[in-house]
């Protein structure tokens, strides 16, 4: 899986464009990705598909301007399953995801595409 490009409000993964937030996990794209906790929070319940997969690493893209907050309980849920967490603005997060993936790391991502 490769992120081809990202611009505010849009992302292209393996040649397919998306305009709603995405989760990349186990070789699949989940979009649209609805968050019950709200649009600007990463909560464990909203990332359960990633937590259940226990990837080596997860990259959380906090938006173009970095407006999404990561709850402490989210970090704790990933720590409990041994998953390393990288938190970056979405532009940087896409580069980190591609780099880890190219290095053969089992990596997932949850990416907010706007603010």
């Amino acid at each position: 899986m490769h992120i081809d490009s990202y611009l505010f409000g849009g992302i292209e993964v393996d040649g397919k464009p998306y305009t709603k937030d995405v989760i990349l996990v186990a070789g699949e794209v989940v979009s649209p990705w609805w968050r019950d906790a709200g649009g600007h929070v990463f909560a464990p319940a909203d990332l359960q598909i990633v937590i259940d997969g226990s990837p080596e690493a997860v990259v959380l893209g906090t938006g173009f301007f970095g407006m999404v907050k990561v709850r402490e309980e989210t970090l704790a849920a990933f720590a409990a399953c041994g998953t390393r967490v990288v938190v970056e603005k979405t532009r940087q997060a896409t580069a980190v995801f591609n780099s880890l993936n190219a290095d053969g790391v089992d990596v997932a991502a949850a990416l907010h595409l706007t603010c």
Side-chain angles (χ1 to χ4, degrees):
M1 181 171 292
H2 184 266
I3 299 171
D4 304 319
S5 64
Y6 164 72
L7 296 171
F8 184 94
I11 194 167
E12 185 175 296
V13 180
D14 291 334
K16 184 172 179 186
Y18 298 89
T19 57
K20 304 288 184 189
D21 292 356
V22 298
I23 289 180
L24 309 178
V25 62
E28 299 202 17
V29 178
V30 177
S31 183
W33 164 42
W34 179 255
R35 290 184 303 286
D36 290 332
H40 293 99
V41 175
F42 284 128
D46 300 332
L47 295 167
Q48 198 62 52
I49 189 172
V50 180
I51 295 166
D52 289 346
S54 299
E56 291 176 64
V58 63
V59 181
L60 303 178
T62 60
F64 191 85
F65 299 109
M67 300 299 290
V68 179
K69 304 301 178 206
V70 181
R71 291 186 175 169
E72 286 300 320
E73 59 264 30
T74 303
L75 298 174
F78 282 117
C81 64
T83 299
R84 178 173 52 130
V85 179
V86 178
V87 179
E88 295 283 352
K89 291 179 181 175
T90 300
R91 179 173 308 286
Q92 293 87 343
T94 62
V96 170
F97 176 87
N98 283 338
S99 177
L100 290 171
N101 192 49
D103 288 344
V105 174
D106 176 18
V107 61
L111 306 168
H112 182 65
L113 301 184
T114 57
C115 48

